[in-house]
Amino acid sequence: MTIRGRAFIAGIYEHPLREIPDRSNSQIHAEVAAGALADAGLSFSDVDAYFCDSSAGFGPLSMADYLGLRLTHVDSTETGGSSYVVHVGHAAEAIAAGKCQVALITLAGRPRSAAMGGRPGGGGATPDMVFEGLWGMSGAVTGYAMAATRHMHEFGTTSAQLAEVKVAASLHAQHNPNAFLREPMTVEEVLESPMISSPLRRDDCCVVTDGGGALIVVSPEVARDLSRVSAKVLGHGEAVKHADNGRLDLTYTGAVVSGPRAFEEAGVTQADIDYASIYDSFTITVIETLEDLGFCAKGEGGRFVLDGALVAPDGRLPFNTDGGGLCNNHPSNRGGITKVIEAVRQLRGEAHPAVQVPDCTIALAHGTGGSIGSRMGSSTLILGTEDA
Amino acid sequence: MSKPLPTPAPVSPPETDEFWAATAEGKLLLRRCDDCGIPIWYPRPFCPVCGSFRTSWSEASGRGTVYTFTVVHRSGIPRYREALPYVVAYVELAEGPRVMTNIVDCEPDDVVVGMPVRVVFHDTGQGSALYRFQPDPTAADDGI
């Protein structure tokens, strides 16, 4: 695939001012976005991809929320002043690949006003952070706890059902010599752990660990020449879900968009998934994501995880066989990379023998970022064995 | 009864100066879109629903219900630790938006989803006040 002739720049806008002491970076991003869309004859509702540098807030999430965008592709590649040229190339690739149709690229900054003692307006002072930074939100758990409260209210989900997710992860972690928590747990033990932010207890939370991970993605030609077995990328979807002009619904995640797109591109269904790495920052993250990916109906996640459904190798949907973020590892407070790593181990047949899924040919890895309690990124990846 | 909460002053972008000045006078303002009419939250001079920059302030009723909440028992925020346990919530305003806030003036364990609440203001001492919400007995009376 080449991008040649596959994408066009249809709108441009340069902000007319050279000194802007009285507006936030966010507002300037919004103004240039509106200008470029008007130039193209398009509107905000046409935009399905957004590109920004590190000036826009929390990655692309803050401006997606500010502008009310419905996104299936995002990119916040930061390469300094070259970023926006990189973004055009990446946007063209995404358009050529069918990932999006209308990409918005914005830049905003106020170095002149800032140097003259101007008001703060960018970075950590994006308005979303101002209005959510005053109430004692203690890390990520507070927002996820509010999601759990609402899920329980609407669907009758229980703390014991949340605990089943931790128990399944712990049963897997006992076989991982590197896991941070290696002791198998019971539902009762999880329910006796200290309350952190109701209804979430200590054992509803992932571990906090140092460390990291890395992945190598190659062309088919390179893969063919390597002696190691590779995992084939079959499909992928991504989405941003945000506070929706203050009408946020905490009972679902961006997986409702990223999941179907990944399944469609891969040409498989939920029934084809032999193994799933599900982002597990908290137990409620897993419950909502399982529903949103279509492994059960909305609201049924708490009941779905009963009876060892997530436990390898014999459960209905073996998950997080490394012990997941809940027991094994959550390096840099970000669990996405370990989700992909364990999915590849399963497809290679190199998971621990006690948790290796027999004949694992199709695997799913799902990442969640930001907070399901406000604005978040979701990405779903479907992988197969080399001959899948 | 919940303990007194800290009152950190907002570091506000310029376009919400009026909002915070109004809180010091006991008023909760909503930005409203002059084109499609929808109340906008968080406050900004842009309508994320219809894309308009034609927006203006109006005063909110200050009444709402608890959409969801959590009782915080462990906090990594030093000035909030002395107030443990405290309640962080999203309150659904009568006008529609769900706003992050605290529920105060009641036992944390008495907070439930759907509970009627009304706004109270806690002065930051720096020309602004934090909008928090307390149980609304008048709404409860209405319900009986």
Side-chain angles (χ1 to χ4, degrees), chain A residues 163-174 185 305 308-312 319-321 323 326-327 355:
Chain A
E164 291 280 359
V165 178
K166 183 74 161 197
V167 169
S170 78
L171 293 174
H172 298 154
Q174 67 178 321
M185 295 181 205
V305 302
L310 302 178
V311 180
F319 100 127
N320 299 9
T321 41
L326 287 169
C327 293
V355 294

PDB file of all heavy atoms in Angstrom, chain A residues 163-174 185 305 308-312 319-321 323 326-327 355:
ATOM      1  N   ALA A 163     -14.858  -9.276  42.445  1.00  0.00           N
ATOM      2  CA  ALA A 163     -13.774 -10.051  43.055  1.00  0.00           C
ATOM      3  C   ALA A 163     -13.408 -11.269  42.213  1.00  0.00           C
ATOM      4  O   ALA A 163     -12.242 -11.696  42.200  1.00  0.00           O
ATOM      5  CB  ALA A 163     -14.172 -10.476  44.467  1.00  0.00           C
ATOM      6  N   GLU A 164     -14.380 -11.840  41.511  1.00  0.00           N
ATOM      7  CA  GLU A 164     -14.099 -13.021  40.677  1.00  0.00           C
ATOM      8  C   GLU A 164     -13.020 -12.708  39.629  1.00  0.00           C
ATOM      9  O   GLU A 164     -12.261 -13.587  39.234  1.00  0.00           O
ATOM     10  CB  GLU A 164     -15.377 -13.473  39.951  1.00  0.00           C
ATOM     11  CG  GLU A 164     -16.434 -14.065  40.866  1.00  0.00           C
ATOM     12  CD  GLU A 164     -16.163 -15.521  41.232  1.00  0.00           C
ATOM     13  OE1 GLU A 164     -15.157 -16.085  40.750  1.00  0.00           O
ATOM     14  OE2 GLU A 164     -16.966 -16.073  42.009  1.00  0.00           O
ATOM     15  N   VAL A 165     -12.986 -11.458  39.173  1.00  0.00           N
ATOM     16  CA  VAL A 165     -11.992 -11.071  38.171  1.00  0.00           C
ATOM     17  C   VAL A 165     -10.583 -11.141  38.778  1.00  0.00           C
ATOM     18  O   VAL A 165      -9.646 -11.658  38.174  1.00  0.00           O
ATOM     19  CB  VAL A 165     -12.296  -9.654  37.636  1.00  0.00           C
ATOM     20  CG1 VAL A 165     -11.233  -9.223  36.630  1.00  0.00           C
ATOM     21  CG2 VAL A 165     -13.688  -9.600  37.011  1.00  0.00           C
ATOM     22  N   LYS A 166     -10.457 -10.627  39.998  1.00  0.00           N
ATOM     23  CA  LYS A 166      -9.154 -10.675  40.682  1.00  0.00           C
ATOM     24  C   LYS A 166      -8.743 -12.121  40.961  1.00  0.00           C
ATOM     25  O   LYS A 166      -7.572 -12.491  40.797  1.00  0.00           O
ATOM     26  CB  LYS A 166      -9.239  -9.896  41.995  1.00  0.00           C
ATOM     27  CG  LYS A 166      -7.926  -9.822  42.768  1.00  0.00           C
ATOM     28  CD  LYS A 166      -6.947  -8.853  42.126  1.00  0.00           C
ATOM     29  CE  LYS A 166      -5.867  -8.436  43.124  1.00  0.00           C
ATOM     30  NZ  LYS A 166      -5.161  -7.229  42.692  1.00  0.00           N
ATOM     31  N   VAL A 167      -9.706 -12.923  41.383  1.00  0.00           N
ATOM     32  CA  VAL A 167      -9.408 -14.325  41.696  1.00  0.00           C
ATOM     33  C   VAL A 167      -8.871 -15.039  40.452  1.00  0.00           C
ATOM     34  O   VAL A 167      -7.860 -15.762  40.520  1.00  0.00           O
ATOM     35  CB  VAL A 167     -10.671 -15.029  42.231  1.00  0.00           C
ATOM     36  CG1 VAL A 167     -10.464 -16.543  42.296  1.00  0.00           C
ATOM     37  CG2 VAL A 167     -11.031 -14.470  43.604  1.00  0.00           C
ATOM     38  N   ALA A 168      -9.510 -14.824  39.307  1.00  0.00           N
ATOM     39  CA  ALA A 168      -9.059 -15.477  38.073  1.00  0.00           C
ATOM     40  C   ALA A 168      -7.629 -15.038  37.734  1.00  0.00           C
ATOM     41  O   ALA A 168      -6.779 -15.867  37.376  1.00  0.00           O
ATOM     42  CB  ALA A 168     -10.007 -15.136  36.922  1.00  0.00           C
ATOM     43  N   ALA A 169      -7.367 -13.739  37.869  1.00  0.00           N
ATOM     44  CA  ALA A 169      -6.010 -13.244  37.583  1.00  0.00           C
ATOM     45  C   ALA A 169      -4.996 -13.878  38.532  1.00  0.00           C
ATOM     46  O   ALA A 169      -3.887 -14.241  38.122  1.00  0.00           O
ATOM     47  CB  ALA A 169      -5.979 -11.725  37.707  1.00  0.00           C
ATOM     48  N   SER A 170      -5.380 -14.033  39.786  1.00  0.00           N
ATOM     49  CA  SER A 170      -4.440 -14.587  40.776  1.00  0.00           C
ATOM     50  C   SER A 170      -4.165 -16.065  40.507  1.00  0.00           C
ATOM     51  O   SER A 170      -3.050 -16.549  40.747  1.00  0.00           O
ATOM     52  CB  SER A 170      -4.975 -14.379  42.197  1.00  0.00           C
ATOM     53  OG  SER A 170      -5.991 -15.320  42.522  1.00  0.00           O
ATOM     54  N   LEU A 171      -5.169 -16.771  40.019  1.00  0.00           N
ATOM     55  CA  LEU A 171      -4.956 -18.193  39.692  1.00  0.00           C
ATOM     56  C   LEU A 171      -3.949 -18.336  38.549  1.00  0.00           C
ATOM     57  O   LEU A 171      -3.235 -19.332  38.476  1.00  0.00           O
ATOM     58  CB  LEU A 171      -6.296 -18.851  39.331  1.00  0.00           C
ATOM     59  CG  LEU A 171      -7.293 -18.966  40.487  1.00  0.00           C
ATOM     60  CD1 LEU A 171      -8.638 -19.500  40.003  1.00  0.00           C
ATOM     61  CD2 LEU A 171      -6.730 -19.857  41.598  1.00  0.00           C
ATOM     62  N   HIS A 172      -3.918 -17.335  37.666  1.00  0.00           N
ATOM     63  CA  HIS A 172      -2.934 -17.356  36.588  1.00  0.00           C
ATOM     64  C   HIS A 172      -1.559 -16.905  37.090  1.00  0.00           C
ATOM     65  O   HIS A 172      -0.535 -17.458  36.715  1.00  0.00           O
ATOM     66  CB  HIS A 172      -3.385 -16.439  35.439  1.00  0.00           C
ATOM     67  CG  HIS A 172      -4.679 -16.871  34.817  1.00  0.00           C
ATOM     68  ND1 HIS A 172      -5.531 -16.018  34.171  1.00  0.00           N
ATOM     69  CD2 HIS A 172      -5.271 -18.107  34.761  1.00  0.00           C
ATOM     70  CE1 HIS A 172      -6.588 -16.675  33.743  1.00  0.00           C
ATOM     71  NE2 HIS A 172      -6.457 -17.939  34.087  1.00  0.00           N
ATOM     72  N   ALA A 173      -1.557 -15.891  37.929  1.00  0.00           N
ATOM     73  CA  ALA A 173      -0.284 -15.298  38.385  1.00  0.00           C
ATOM     74  C   ALA A 173       0.552 -16.283  39.189  1.00  0.00           C
ATOM     75  O   ALA A 173       1.787 -16.175  39.220  1.00  0.00           O
ATOM     76  CB  ALA A 173      -0.569 -14.045  39.211  1.00  0.00           C
ATOM     77  N   GLN A 174      -0.091 -17.265  39.819  1.00  0.00           N
ATOM     78  CA  GLN A 174       0.680 -18.222  40.632  1.00  0.00           C
ATOM     79  C   GLN A 174       1.686 -18.991  39.775  1.00  0.00           C
ATOM     80  O   GLN A 174       2.662 -19.536  40.288  1.00  0.00           O
ATOM     81  CB  GLN A 174      -0.264 -19.189  41.343  1.00  0.00           C
ATOM     82  CG  GLN A 174      -1.012 -20.119  40.407  1.00  0.00           C
ATOM     83  CD  GLN A 174      -1.907 -21.104  41.144  1.00  0.00           C
ATOM     84  OE1 GLN A 174      -1.540 -21.627  42.194  1.00  0.00           O
ATOM     85  NE2 GLN A 174      -3.091 -21.334  40.588  1.00  0.00           N
ATOM     86  N   MET A 185      -5.897 -16.120  45.298  1.00  0.00           N
ATOM     87  CA  MET A 185      -6.823 -15.459  46.218  1.00  0.00           C
ATOM     88  C   MET A 185      -8.209 -16.066  46.090  1.00  0.00           C
ATOM     89  O   MET A 185      -8.555 -16.658  45.070  1.00  0.00           O
ATOM     90  CB  MET A 185      -6.920 -13.967  45.900  1.00  0.00           C
ATOM     91  CG  MET A 185      -5.632 -13.193  46.115  1.00  0.00           C
ATOM     92  SD  MET A 185      -5.904 -11.437  45.720  1.00  0.00           S
ATOM     93  CE  MET A 185      -4.229 -10.981  45.304  1.00  0.00           C
ATOM     94  N   VAL A 305     -18.585 -13.409  34.460  1.00  0.00           N
ATOM     95  CA  VAL A 305     -17.283 -13.820  35.008  1.00  0.00           C
ATOM     96  C   VAL A 305     -17.396 -14.895  36.085  1.00  0.00           C
ATOM     97  O   VAL A 305     -16.372 -15.367  36.596  1.00  0.00           O
ATOM     98  CB  VAL A 305     -16.503 -12.607  35.576  1.00  0.00           C
ATOM     99  CG1 VAL A 305     -16.288 -11.564  34.497  1.00  0.00           C
ATOM    100  CG2 VAL A 305     -17.218 -12.001  36.782  1.00  0.00           C
ATOM    101  N   GLY A 308     -15.676 -19.371  37.031  1.00  0.00           N
ATOM    102  CA  GLY A 308     -14.363 -19.561  36.415  1.00  0.00           C
ATOM    103  C   GLY A 308     -14.323 -19.297  34.928  1.00  0.00           C
ATOM    104  O   GLY A 308     -13.464 -19.823  34.210  1.00  0.00           O
ATOM    105  N   ALA A 309     -15.219 -18.457  34.442  1.00  0.00           N
ATOM    106  CA  ALA A 309     -15.291 -18.206  32.999  1.00  0.00           C
ATOM    107  C   ALA A 309     -13.991 -17.650  32.430  1.00  0.00           C
ATOM    108  O   ALA A 309     -13.669 -17.885  31.270  1.00  0.00           O
ATOM    109  CB  ALA A 309     -16.443 -17.249  32.703  1.00  0.00           C
ATOM    110  N   LEU A 310     -13.238 -16.923  33.253  1.00  0.00           N
ATOM    111  CA  LEU A 310     -12.020 -16.273  32.755  1.00  0.00           C
ATOM    112  C   LEU A 310     -10.761 -17.096  33.001  1.00  0.00           C
ATOM    113  O   LEU A 310      -9.669 -16.696  32.616  1.00  0.00           O
ATOM    114  CB  LEU A 310     -11.863 -14.896  33.425  1.00  0.00           C
ATOM    115  CG  LEU A 310     -13.004 -13.893  33.243  1.00  0.00           C
ATOM    116  CD1 LEU A 310     -12.697 -12.605  34.010  1.00  0.00           C
ATOM    117  CD2 LEU A 310     -13.229 -13.587  31.765  1.00  0.00           C
ATOM    118  N   VAL A 311     -10.919 -18.251  33.666  1.00  0.00           N
ATOM    119  CA  VAL A 311      -9.755 -19.013  34.113  1.00  0.00           C
ATOM    120  C   VAL A 311      -9.277 -19.973  33.028  1.00  0.00           C
ATOM    121  O   VAL A 311     -10.051 -20.766  32.490  1.00  0.00           O
ATOM    122  CB  VAL A 311     -10.084 -19.792  35.402  1.00  0.00           C
ATOM    123  CG1 VAL A 311      -8.861 -20.589  35.865  1.00  0.00           C
ATOM    124  CG2 VAL A 311     -10.544 -18.842  36.499  1.00  0.00           C
ATOM    125  N   ALA A 312      -7.984 -19.888  32.715  1.00  0.00           N
ATOM    126  CA  ALA A 312      -7.364 -20.769  31.722  1.00  0.00           C
ATOM    127  C   ALA A 312      -7.025 -22.120  32.371  1.00  0.00           C
ATOM    128  O   ALA A 312      -6.763 -22.175  33.573  1.00  0.00           O
ATOM    129  CB  ALA A 312      -6.089 -20.125  31.187  1.00  0.00           C
ATOM    130  N   PHE A 319      -8.500 -15.380  30.137  1.00  0.00           N
ATOM    131  CA  PHE A 319      -8.015 -13.994  30.022  1.00  0.00           C
ATOM    132  C   PHE A 319      -6.745 -13.814  30.834  1.00  0.00           C
ATOM    133  O   PHE A 319      -6.486 -14.538  31.789  1.00  0.00           O
ATOM    134  CB  PHE A 319      -9.127 -13.017  30.447  1.00  0.00           C
ATOM    135  CG  PHE A 319      -9.010 -12.471  31.856  1.00  0.00           C
ATOM    136  CD1 PHE A 319      -9.032 -11.105  32.107  1.00  0.00           C
ATOM    137  CD2 PHE A 319      -8.874 -13.325  32.937  1.00  0.00           C
ATOM    138  CE1 PHE A 319      -8.923 -10.597  33.393  1.00  0.00           C
ATOM    139  CE2 PHE A 319      -8.764 -12.827  34.235  1.00  0.00           C
ATOM    140  CZ  PHE A 319      -8.785 -11.466  34.455  1.00  0.00           C
ATOM    141  N   ASN A 320      -5.942 -12.883  30.445  1.00  0.00           N
ATOM    142  CA  ASN A 320      -4.798 -12.385  31.225  1.00  0.00           C
ATOM    143  C   ASN A 320      -4.032 -13.504  31.932  1.00  0.00           C
ATOM    144  O   ASN A 320      -3.897 -13.502  33.157  1.00  0.00           O
ATOM    145  CB  ASN A 320      -5.285 -11.326  32.220  1.00  0.00           C
ATOM    146  CG  ASN A 320      -5.915 -10.145  31.516  1.00  0.00           C
ATOM    147  OD1 ASN A 320      -6.135 -10.182  30.297  1.00  0.00           O
ATOM    148  ND2 ASN A 320      -6.204  -9.096  32.250  1.00  0.00           N
ATOM    149  N   THR A 321      -3.518 -14.432  31.122  1.00  0.00           N
ATOM    150  CA  THR A 321      -2.888 -15.623  31.692  1.00  0.00           C
ATOM    151  C   THR A 321      -1.519 -15.350  32.290  1.00  0.00           C
ATOM    152  O   THR A 321      -0.914 -16.232  32.893  1.00  0.00           O
ATOM    153  CB  THR A 321      -2.788 -16.719  30.611  1.00  0.00           C
ATOM    154  OG1 THR A 321      -2.406 -16.129  29.360  1.00  0.00           O
ATOM    155  CG2 THR A 321      -4.132 -17.411  30.445  1.00  0.00           C
ATOM    156  N   GLY A 323      -1.348 -13.182  34.600  1.00  0.00           N
ATOM    157  CA  GLY A 323      -1.736 -12.605  35.884  1.00  0.00           C
ATOM    158  C   GLY A 323      -2.224 -11.172  35.739  1.00  0.00           C
ATOM    159  O   GLY A 323      -2.722 -10.571  36.687  1.00  0.00           O
ATOM    160  N   LEU A 326      -3.756  -6.872  37.325  1.00  0.00           N
ATOM    161  CA  LEU A 326      -4.290  -7.058  38.675  1.00  0.00           C
ATOM    162  C   LEU A 326      -3.312  -7.789  39.591  1.00  0.00           C
ATOM    163  O   LEU A 326      -3.319  -7.577  40.797  1.00  0.00           O
ATOM    164  CB  LEU A 326      -5.621  -7.816  38.610  1.00  0.00           C
ATOM    165  CG  LEU A 326      -6.798  -6.995  38.067  1.00  0.00           C
ATOM    166  CD1 LEU A 326      -8.001  -7.890  37.773  1.00  0.00           C
ATOM    167  CD2 LEU A 326      -7.182  -5.885  39.053  1.00  0.00           C
ATOM    168  N   CYS A 327      -2.472  -8.672  39.011  1.00  0.00           N
ATOM    169  CA  CYS A 327      -1.556  -9.441  39.858  1.00  0.00           C
ATOM    170  C   CYS A 327      -0.114  -9.443  39.357  1.00  0.00           C
ATOM    171  O   CYS A 327       0.813  -9.491  40.156  1.00  0.00           O
ATOM    172  CB  CYS A 327      -2.026 -10.894  39.965  1.00  0.00           C
ATOM    173  SG  CYS A 327      -3.580 -11.100  40.839  1.00  0.00           S
ATOM    174  N   VAL A 355      -1.441 -22.629  31.961  1.00  0.00           N
ATOM    175  CA  VAL A 355      -2.461 -21.671  31.514  1.00  0.00           C
ATOM    176  C   VAL A 355      -2.474 -21.518  29.992  1.00  0.00           C
ATOM    177  O   VAL A 355      -3.211 -20.686  29.454  1.00  0.00           O
ATOM    178  CB  VAL A 355      -2.251 -20.277  32.161  1.00  0.00           C
ATOM    179  CG1 VAL A 355      -2.476 -20.357  33.662  1.00  0.00           C
ATOM    180  CG2 VAL A 355      -0.882 -19.712  31.844  1.00  0.00           C
TER     181      VAL A 355
END
